[in-house]
Amino acid sequence: MAAKHTFRTLAPFNEEKNYIGAHISIIYPEERVSINPEEIDNLFSFEIDGLFKAYLQGKKYYVLKVISQDLVKFRLKYGLSHKLLFKGCFIDPHITIAVGG
């Protein structure tokens, strides 16, 4: 018998319902960096580098890994690593497409 897995696909952006929708995180709150407000809503070019499954703190994440020199330059400008700090782990830039338990 196959094991059952439940995943929640991420909803598209909907300001009224406060859904985040698909996005690429640039800086996580735990990285404690303030950016120049004029840089909010900047656009970054990127390429998809594959679909990956990752396990972190009891959850399973399906993500599209992205490569973006623009994003790396932005993070380095603020003294950050090219990888993001998320829940105590350094992770590659990505687009999360589903989360499961």
Side-chain angles (χ1 to χ4, degrees), residues 27-79:
I27 299 172
Y28 282 110
E30 65 196 273
E31 293 181 289
R32 303 185 189 278
V33 172
S34 295
I35 66 168
N36 179 344
E38 292 178 13
E39 295 187 292
I40 293 174
D41 289 332
N42 279 359
L43 297 178
F44 296 91
S45 62
F46 66 92
E47 295 178 26
I48 301 293
D49 189 35
L51 174 66
F52 295 90
K53 176 172 55 175
Y55 297 90
L56 184 61
Q57 295 185 345
K59 290 186 179 179
K60 192 182 311 184
Y61 295 85
Y62 286 90
V63 303
L64 295 171
K65 181 181 172 190
V66 300
I67 296 174
S68 172
Q69 292 304 312
D70 295 338
L71 187 147
V72 170
K73 287 178 189 175
F74 185 84
R75 288 184 54 81
L76 293 175
K77 174 180 171 181
Y78 285 96

Short mmCIF file of all heavy atoms in Angstrom, two decimals, residues 27-79:
data_model
loop_
_atom_site.label_atom_id
_atom_site.label_comp_id
_atom_site.label_asym_id
_atom_site.label_seq_id
_atom_site.Cartn_x
_atom_site.Cartn_y
_atom_site.Cartn_z
N ILE A 27 15.63 38.32 1.27
CA ILE A 27 16.19 38.39 2.62
C ILE A 27 15.12 37.89 3.59
O ILE A 27 13.98 38.34 3.53
CB ILE A 27 16.58 39.84 3.00
CG1 ILE A 27 17.65 40.38 2.05
CG2 ILE A 27 17.07 39.92 4.44
CD1 ILE A 27 17.94 41.86 2.21
N TYR A 28 15.48 36.95 4.46
CA TYR A 28 14.55 36.47 5.47
C TYR A 28 14.67 37.33 6.73
O TYR A 28 15.75 37.86 7.03
CB TYR A 28 14.82 35.01 5.82
CG TYR A 28 14.29 34.05 4.79
CD1 TYR A 28 15.14 33.33 3.97
CD2 TYR A 28 12.92 33.85 4.65
CE1 TYR A 28 14.65 32.44 3.03
CE2 TYR A 28 12.42 32.97 3.70
CZ TYR A 28 13.29 32.27 2.91
OH TYR A 28 12.80 31.39 1.97
N PRO A 29 13.58 37.46 7.51
CA PRO A 29 13.62 38.29 8.72
C PRO A 29 14.74 37.93 9.69
O PRO A 29 15.34 38.82 10.30
CB PRO A 29 12.25 38.05 9.36
CG PRO A 29 11.36 37.68 8.22
CD PRO A 29 12.25 36.91 7.26
N GLU A 30 15.07 36.65 9.81
CA GLU A 30 16.10 36.26 10.76
C GLU A 30 17.50 36.73 10.33
O GLU A 30 18.45 36.66 11.11
CB GLU A 30 16.09 34.75 11.00
CG GLU A 30 16.43 33.91 9.80
CD GLU A 30 16.04 32.46 9.99
OE1 GLU A 30 16.84 31.69 10.54
OE2 GLU A 30 14.91 32.11 9.58
N GLU A 31 17.63 37.22 9.10
CA GLU A 31 18.92 37.75 8.66
C GLU A 31 19.13 39.18 9.16
O GLU A 31 20.23 39.71 9.06
CB GLU A 31 19.03 37.67 7.13
CG GLU A 31 19.07 36.24 6.66
CD GLU A 31 19.20 36.09 5.17
OE1 GLU A 31 18.21 36.39 4.45
OE2 GLU A 31 20.29 35.69 4.73
N ARG A 32 18.10 39.78 9.70
CA ARG A 32 18.16 41.08 10.39
C ARG A 32 18.90 42.15 9.61
O ARG A 32 19.87 42.73 10.10
CB ARG A 32 18.75 40.91 11.77
CG ARG A 32 17.99 39.93 12.63
CD ARG A 32 18.52 39.88 14.05
NE ARG A 32 17.94 38.81 14.79
CZ ARG A 32 16.75 38.84 15.39
NH1 ARG A 32 16.02 39.89 15.31
NH2 ARG A 32 16.32 37.79 16.06
N VAL A 33 18.43 42.40 8.41
CA VAL A 33 19.03 43.42 7.56
C VAL A 33 17.93 44.37 7.10
O VAL A 33 16.85 43.94 6.70
CB VAL A 33 19.70 42.78 6.32
CG1 VAL A 33 20.16 43.84 5.35
CG2 VAL A 33 20.87 41.92 6.75
N SER A 34 18.21 45.64 7.21
CA SER A 34 17.29 46.65 6.68
C SER A 34 17.82 47.12 5.34
O SER A 34 19.01 47.39 5.21
CB SER A 34 17.19 47.84 7.64
OG SER A 34 16.62 47.44 8.86
N ILE A 35 16.93 47.21 4.38
CA ILE A 35 17.36 47.66 3.05
C ILE A 35 16.82 49.07 2.79
O ILE A 35 15.88 49.52 3.44
CB ILE A 35 16.91 46.70 1.93
CG1 ILE A 35 15.39 46.66 1.79
CG2 ILE A 35 17.48 45.32 2.16
CD1 ILE A 35 14.93 45.96 0.55
N ASN A 36 17.42 49.72 1.84
CA ASN A 36 16.98 51.03 1.41
C ASN A 36 15.56 50.90 0.85
O ASN A 36 15.34 50.11 -0.08
CB ASN A 36 17.95 51.54 0.33
CG ASN A 36 17.58 52.90 -0.20
OD1 ASN A 36 16.47 53.38 -0.03
ND2 ASN A 36 18.53 53.52 -0.87
N PRO A 37 14.59 51.64 1.39
CA PRO A 37 13.20 51.52 0.91
C PRO A 37 13.05 51.77 -0.60
O PRO A 37 12.12 51.25 -1.21
CB PRO A 37 12.45 52.58 1.70
CG PRO A 37 13.29 52.83 2.91
CD PRO A 37 14.71 52.58 2.49
N GLU A 38 13.95 52.52 -1.19
CA GLU A 38 13.87 52.77 -2.63
C GLU A 38 14.16 51.51 -3.45
O GLU A 38 13.86 51.47 -4.64
CB GLU A 38 14.84 53.89 -3.02
CG GLU A 38 14.45 55.24 -2.47
CD GLU A 38 15.44 56.33 -2.81
OE1 GLU A 38 16.32 56.11 -3.68
OE2 GLU A 38 15.34 57.41 -2.21
N GLU A 39 14.72 50.48 -2.80
CA GLU A 39 15.03 49.24 -3.52
C GLU A 39 13.92 48.21 -3.42
O GLU A 39 14.01 47.13 -4.01
CB GLU A 39 16.35 48.67 -3.00
CG GLU A 39 17.52 49.56 -3.32
CD GLU A 39 18.85 48.94 -2.97
OE1 GLU A 39 19.12 48.76 -1.76
OE2 GLU A 39 19.60 48.64 -3.91
N ILE A 40 12.85 48.52 -2.70
CA ILE A 40 11.71 47.61 -2.62
C ILE A 40 11.02 47.57 -3.98
O ILE A 40 10.88 48.58 -4.65
CB ILE A 40 10.74 48.05 -1.50
CG1 ILE A 40 11.43 47.89 -0.15
CG2 ILE A 40 9.43 47.25 -1.55
CD1 ILE A 40 10.64 48.44 1.02
N ASP A 41 10.60 46.40 -4.38
CA ASP A 41 9.95 46.16 -5.67
C ASP A 41 10.92 46.16 -6.85
O ASP A 41 10.49 46.26 -8.00
CB ASP A 41 8.80 47.14 -5.95
CG ASP A 41 7.60 46.88 -5.05
OD1 ASP A 41 7.42 45.71 -4.64
OD2 ASP A 41 6.86 47.83 -4.77
N ASN A 42 12.24 46.05 -6.59
CA ASN A 42 13.19 45.88 -7.69
C ASN A 42 12.90 44.57 -8.40
O ASN A 42 12.43 43.61 -7.79
CB ASN A 42 14.63 45.83 -7.17
CG ASN A 42 15.20 47.20 -6.90
OD1 ASN A 42 14.55 48.21 -7.10
ND2 ASN A 42 16.43 47.24 -6.43
N LEU A 43 13.20 44.52 -9.67
CA LEU A 43 13.06 43.29 -10.44
C LEU A 43 14.43 42.65 -10.62
O LEU A 43 15.41 43.35 -10.86
CB LEU A 43 12.44 43.58 -11.80
CG LEU A 43 11.03 44.15 -11.79
CD1 LEU A 43 10.57 44.44 -13.21
CD2 LEU A 43 10.07 43.19 -11.11
N PHE A 44 14.50 41.31 -10.49
CA PHE A 44 15.73 40.56 -10.66
C PHE A 44 15.52 39.52 -11.75
O PHE A 44 14.51 38.83 -11.75
CB PHE A 44 16.11 39.85 -9.36
CG PHE A 44 16.42 40.76 -8.21
CD1 PHE A 44 15.43 41.17 -7.33
CD2 PHE A 44 17.71 41.21 -8.01
CE1 PHE A 44 15.72 42.00 -6.28
CE2 PHE A 44 18.01 42.06 -6.96
CZ PHE A 44 17.01 42.46 -6.10
N SER A 45 16.48 39.37 -12.62
CA SER A 45 16.39 38.30 -13.61
C SER A 45 16.89 37.00 -12.96
O SER A 45 17.71 37.04 -12.05
CB SER A 45 17.20 38.64 -14.86
OG SER A 45 18.56 38.77 -14.53
N PHE A 46 16.36 35.88 -13.44
CA PHE A 46 16.76 34.59 -12.88
C PHE A 46 16.51 33.48 -13.88
O PHE A 46 15.76 33.66 -14.84
CB PHE A 46 16.03 34.30 -11.56
CG PHE A 46 14.55 34.10 -11.72
CD1 PHE A 46 14.02 32.83 -11.91
CD2 PHE A 46 13.68 35.18 -11.67
CE1 PHE A 46 12.65 32.64 -12.06
CE2 PHE A 46 12.31 35.00 -11.82
CZ PHE A 46 11.80 33.73 -12.01
N GLU A 47 17.15 32.34 -13.63
CA GLU A 47 16.94 31.12 -14.41
C GLU A 47 16.55 30.00 -13.45
O GLU A 47 17.04 29.95 -12.32
CB GLU A 47 18.22 30.71 -15.14
CG GLU A 47 18.66 31.70 -16.19
CD GLU A 47 19.96 31.28 -16.86
OE1 GLU A 47 20.26 30.06 -16.89
OE2 GLU A 47 20.66 32.17 -17.35
N ILE A 48 15.70 29.10 -13.91
CA ILE A 48 15.32 27.92 -13.12
C ILE A 48 16.41 26.88 -13.28
O ILE A 48 16.85 26.58 -14.39
CB ILE A 48 13.97 27.34 -13.60
CG1 ILE A 48 12.85 28.39 -13.49
CG2 ILE A 48 13.63 26.06 -12.84
CD1 ILE A 48 12.50 28.79 -12.09
N ASP A 49 16.87 26.32 -12.14
CA ASP A 49 17.95 25.33 -12.15
C ASP A 49 17.48 23.95 -11.73
O ASP A 49 18.27 23.10 -11.35
CB ASP A 49 19.08 25.82 -11.23
CG ASP A 49 20.33 24.98 -11.36
OD1 ASP A 49 20.64 24.51 -12.46
OD2 ASP A 49 21.01 24.77 -10.32
N GLY A 50 16.18 23.71 -11.74
CA GLY A 50 15.68 22.37 -11.44
C GLY A 50 14.67 22.35 -10.31
O GLY A 50 14.52 23.30 -9.56
N LEU A 51 13.98 21.23 -10.23
CA LEU A 51 12.99 20.98 -9.20
C LEU A 51 13.63 20.12 -8.12
O LEU A 51 14.28 19.12 -8.42
CB LEU A 51 11.78 20.26 -9.79
CG LEU A 51 10.71 19.78 -8.81
CD1 LEU A 51 10.02 20.96 -8.15
CD2 LEU A 51 9.69 18.91 -9.54
N PHE A 52 13.45 20.51 -6.85
CA PHE A 52 14.06 19.79 -5.74
C PHE A 52 13.05 19.56 -4.63
O PHE A 52 12.10 20.33 -4.47
CB PHE A 52 15.25 20.57 -5.17
CG PHE A 52 16.38 20.70 -6.14
CD1 PHE A 52 16.45 21.78 -7.01
CD2 PHE A 52 17.38 19.74 -6.21
CE1 PHE A 52 17.48 21.91 -7.92
CE2 PHE A 52 18.40 19.85 -7.12
CZ PHE A 52 18.46 20.94 -7.98
N LYS A 53 13.30 18.51 -3.87
CA LYS A 53 12.53 18.22 -2.66
C LYS A 53 13.50 18.38 -1.49
O LYS A 53 14.62 17.87 -1.53
CB LYS A 53 11.97 16.81 -2.73
CG LYS A 53 11.24 16.38 -1.49
CD LYS A 53 10.53 15.03 -1.67
CE LYS A 53 11.48 13.95 -2.11
NZ LYS A 53 10.86 12.62 -2.17
N ALA A 54 13.07 19.10 -0.45
CA ALA A 54 13.92 19.30 0.72
C ALA A 54 13.11 19.07 1.99
O ALA A 54 11.91 19.36 2.03
CB ALA A 54 14.48 20.71 0.71
N TYR A 55 13.77 18.54 3.00
CA TYR A 55 13.15 18.33 4.31
C TYR A 55 13.76 19.31 5.29
O TYR A 55 14.98 19.42 5.39
CB TYR A 55 13.40 16.90 4.80
CG TYR A 55 12.79 15.85 3.90
CD1 TYR A 55 13.51 15.31 2.85
CD2 TYR A 55 11.48 15.42 4.10
CE1 TYR A 55 12.95 14.35 2.02
CE2 TYR A 55 10.91 14.46 3.28
CZ TYR A 55 11.65 13.93 2.24
OH TYR A 55 11.09 12.99 1.43
N LEU A 56 12.92 20.03 6.02
CA LEU A 56 13.41 20.99 7.00
C LEU A 56 12.41 21.10 8.13
O LEU A 56 11.23 21.40 7.91
CB LEU A 56 13.62 22.36 6.33
CG LEU A 56 14.22 23.46 7.18
CD1 LEU A 56 15.62 23.08 7.66
CD2 LEU A 56 14.30 24.75 6.38
N GLN A 57 12.87 20.82 9.32
CA GLN A 57 12.06 20.91 10.54
C GLN A 57 10.71 20.21 10.41
O GLN A 57 9.67 20.77 10.71
CB GLN A 57 11.89 22.37 10.94
CG GLN A 57 13.19 23.02 11.34
CD GLN A 57 13.02 24.44 11.86
OE1 GLN A 57 11.97 25.05 11.70
NE2 GLN A 57 14.06 24.95 12.48
N GLY A 58 10.75 18.97 9.94
CA GLY A 58 9.55 18.14 9.88
C GLY A 58 8.62 18.42 8.72
O GLY A 58 7.54 17.84 8.65
N LYS A 59 9.00 19.31 7.83
CA LYS A 59 8.18 19.60 6.66
C LYS A 59 8.93 19.24 5.39
O LYS A 59 10.15 19.25 5.36
CB LYS A 59 7.79 21.08 6.60
CG LYS A 59 6.81 21.49 7.67
CD LYS A 59 6.38 22.93 7.46
CE LYS A 59 5.37 23.34 8.50
NZ LYS A 59 4.97 24.74 8.31
N LYS A 60 8.16 18.92 4.36
CA LYS A 60 8.73 18.62 3.05
C LYS A 60 8.40 19.78 2.13
O LYS A 60 7.25 20.21 2.03
CB LYS A 60 8.13 17.32 2.51
CG LYS A 60 8.85 16.76 1.32
CD LYS A 60 8.19 15.50 0.77
CE LYS A 60 7.89 14.47 1.82
NZ LYS A 60 7.35 13.22 1.26
N TYR A 61 9.42 20.31 1.47
CA TYR A 61 9.25 21.44 0.56
C TYR A 61 9.60 21.00 -0.85
O TYR A 61 10.62 20.35 -1.07
CB TYR A 61 10.19 22.59 0.95
CG TYR A 61 9.90 23.20 2.30
CD1 TYR A 61 10.43 22.65 3.46
CD2 TYR A 61 9.11 24.34 2.40
CE1 TYR A 61 10.18 23.22 4.70
CE2 TYR A 61 8.87 24.92 3.64
CZ TYR A 61 9.39 24.35 4.78
OH TYR A 61 9.15 24.92 6.00
N TYR A 62 8.76 21.37 -1.80
CA TYR A 62 9.09 21.21 -3.21
C TYR A 62 9.39 22.60 -3.75
O TYR A 62 8.57 23.51 -3.61
CB TYR A 62 7.92 20.58 -3.98
CG TYR A 62 7.78 19.11 -3.69
CD1 TYR A 62 6.98 18.66 -2.65
CD2 TYR A 62 8.47 18.18 -4.45
CE1 TYR A 62 6.87 17.31 -2.37
CE2 TYR A 62 8.36 16.82 -4.18
CZ TYR A 62 7.55 16.40 -3.13
OH TYR A 62 7.45 15.05 -2.86
N VAL A 63 10.58 22.75 -4.31
CA VAL A 63 11.02 24.08 -4.73
C VAL A 63 11.66 24.03 -6.11
O VAL A 63 12.18 23.00 -6.54
CB VAL A 63 12.04 24.69 -3.73
CG1 VAL A 63 11.46 24.77 -2.34
CG2 VAL A 63 13.34 23.92 -3.71
N LEU A 64 11.58 25.15 -6.79
CA LEU A 64 12.33 25.37 -8.01
C LEU A 64 13.55 26.18 -7.63
O LEU A 64 13.41 27.33 -7.16
CB LEU A 64 11.49 26.14 -9.04
CG LEU A 64 10.26 25.44 -9.56
CD1 LEU A 64 9.42 26.40 -10.41
CD2 LEU A 64 10.64 24.21 -10.37
N LYS A 65 14.73 25.59 -7.73
CA LYS A 65 15.96 26.32 -7.43
C LYS A 65 16.19 27.35 -8.53
O LYS A 65 15.95 27.07 -9.71
CB LYS A 65 17.14 25.37 -7.36
CG LYS A 65 18.45 26.05 -7.03
CD LYS A 65 19.59 25.06 -6.99
CE LYS A 65 20.91 25.78 -6.87
NZ LYS A 65 22.04 24.90 -7.07
N VAL A 66 16.59 28.55 -8.14
CA VAL A 66 16.85 29.60 -9.13
C VAL A 66 18.29 30.07 -9.05
O VAL A 66 18.93 29.99 -8.00
CB VAL A 66 15.90 30.81 -8.96
CG1 VAL A 66 14.45 30.38 -9.12
CG2 VAL A 66 16.10 31.51 -7.64
N ILE A 67 18.78 30.54 -10.18
CA ILE A 67 20.10 31.15 -10.26
C ILE A 67 19.88 32.60 -10.68
O ILE A 67 19.19 32.86 -11.67
CB ILE A 67 20.99 30.43 -11.29
CG1 ILE A 67 21.23 28.99 -10.85
CG2 ILE A 67 22.30 31.18 -11.49
CD1 ILE A 67 21.97 28.16 -11.87
N SER A 68 20.45 33.52 -9.89
CA SER A 68 20.28 34.94 -10.21
C SER A 68 21.51 35.72 -9.75
O SER A 68 21.72 35.90 -8.55
CB SER A 68 19.03 35.49 -9.52
OG SER A 68 18.98 36.90 -9.68
N GLN A 69 22.29 36.17 -10.71
CA GLN A 69 23.45 37.01 -10.37
C GLN A 69 22.99 38.34 -9.78
O GLN A 69 23.64 38.89 -8.90
CB GLN A 69 24.33 37.22 -11.59
CG GLN A 69 25.04 35.96 -12.06
CD GLN A 69 25.88 35.34 -10.94
OE1 GLN A 69 26.65 36.01 -10.26
NE2 GLN A 69 25.71 34.04 -10.74
N ASP A 70 21.84 38.85 -10.23
CA ASP A 70 21.29 40.09 -9.69
C ASP A 70 20.99 39.94 -8.19
O ASP A 70 21.31 40.81 -7.38
CB ASP A 70 20.00 40.49 -10.39
CG ASP A 70 20.18 40.84 -11.85
OD1 ASP A 70 21.32 41.18 -12.25
OD2 ASP A 70 19.19 40.79 -12.60
N LEU A 71 20.38 38.82 -7.83
CA LEU A 71 20.04 38.57 -6.43
C LEU A 71 21.31 38.43 -5.59
O LEU A 71 21.40 38.98 -4.50
CB LEU A 71 19.18 37.30 -6.33
CG LEU A 71 18.62 36.98 -4.97
CD1 LEU A 71 17.25 36.32 -5.13
CD2 LEU A 71 19.53 36.08 -4.19
N VAL A 72 22.29 37.71 -6.09
CA VAL A 72 23.56 37.54 -5.37
C VAL A 72 24.23 38.90 -5.14
O VAL A 72 24.65 39.21 -4.02
CB VAL A 72 24.52 36.58 -6.11
CG1 VAL A 72 25.91 36.60 -5.50
CG2 VAL A 72 23.95 35.17 -6.11
N LYS A 73 24.30 39.72 -6.16
CA LYS A 73 24.90 41.06 -6.02
C LYS A 73 24.17 41.89 -4.98
O LYS A 73 24.79 42.59 -4.18
CB LYS A 73 24.89 41.79 -7.36
CG LYS A 73 25.89 41.27 -8.36
CD LYS A 73 25.78 42.01 -9.68
CE LYS A 73 26.61 41.34 -10.75
NZ LYS A 73 26.42 41.96 -12.07
N PHE A 74 22.85 41.81 -4.99
CA PHE A 74 22.04 42.55 -4.03
C PHE A 74 22.35 42.10 -2.60
O PHE A 74 22.56 42.91 -1.71
CB PHE A 74 20.55 42.37 -4.34
CG PHE A 74 19.64 43.17 -3.47
CD1 PHE A 74 19.37 44.50 -3.78
CD2 PHE A 74 19.05 42.61 -2.36
CE1 PHE A 74 18.53 45.26 -2.97
CE2 PHE A 74 18.21 43.36 -1.55
CZ PHE A 74 17.95 44.68 -1.86
N ARG A 75 22.38 40.79 -2.37
CA ARG A 75 22.65 40.26 -1.03
C ARG A 75 24.06 40.63 -0.58
O ARG A 75 24.27 41.03 0.57
CB ARG A 75 22.44 38.74 -1.00
CG ARG A 75 20.97 38.36 -1.08
CD ARG A 75 20.75 36.87 -0.96
NE ARG A 75 21.36 36.29 0.21
CZ ARG A 75 20.84 36.31 1.45
NH1 ARG A 75 19.69 36.90 1.67
NH2 ARG A 75 21.47 35.74 2.45
N LEU A 76 25.05 40.52 -1.47
CA LEU A 76 26.42 40.86 -1.10
C LEU A 76 26.55 42.35 -0.76
O LEU A 76 27.29 42.72 0.15
CB LEU A 76 27.38 40.49 -2.24
CG LEU A 76 27.55 38.99 -2.50
CD1 LEU A 76 28.43 38.77 -3.73
CD2 LEU A 76 28.10 38.25 -1.30
N LYS A 77 25.80 43.18 -1.45
CA LYS A 77 25.78 44.62 -1.17
C LYS A 77 25.41 44.90 0.28
O LYS A 77 25.90 45.85 0.88
CB LYS A 77 24.78 45.29 -2.12
CG LYS A 77 24.55 46.75 -1.88
CD LYS A 77 23.54 47.27 -2.90
CE LYS A 77 23.10 48.67 -2.60
NZ LYS A 77 22.12 49.15 -3.57
N TYR A 78 24.54 44.07 0.86
CA TYR A 78 24.10 44.24 2.24
C TYR A 78 24.85 43.33 3.22
O TYR A 78 24.43 43.12 4.35
CB TYR A 78 22.59 44.01 2.34
CG TYR A 78 21.81 45.19 1.80
CD1 TYR A 78 21.35 45.20 0.49
CD2 TYR A 78 21.59 46.32 2.59
CE1 TYR A 78 20.67 46.30 -0.02
CE2 TYR A 78 20.91 47.42 2.09
CZ TYR A 78 20.46 47.41 0.79
OH TYR A 78 19.78 48.50 0.30
N GLY A 79 25.99 42.80 2.78
CA GLY A 79 26.84 42.00 3.67
C GLY A 79 26.33 40.61 3.94
O GLY A 79 26.73 39.98 4.94
#
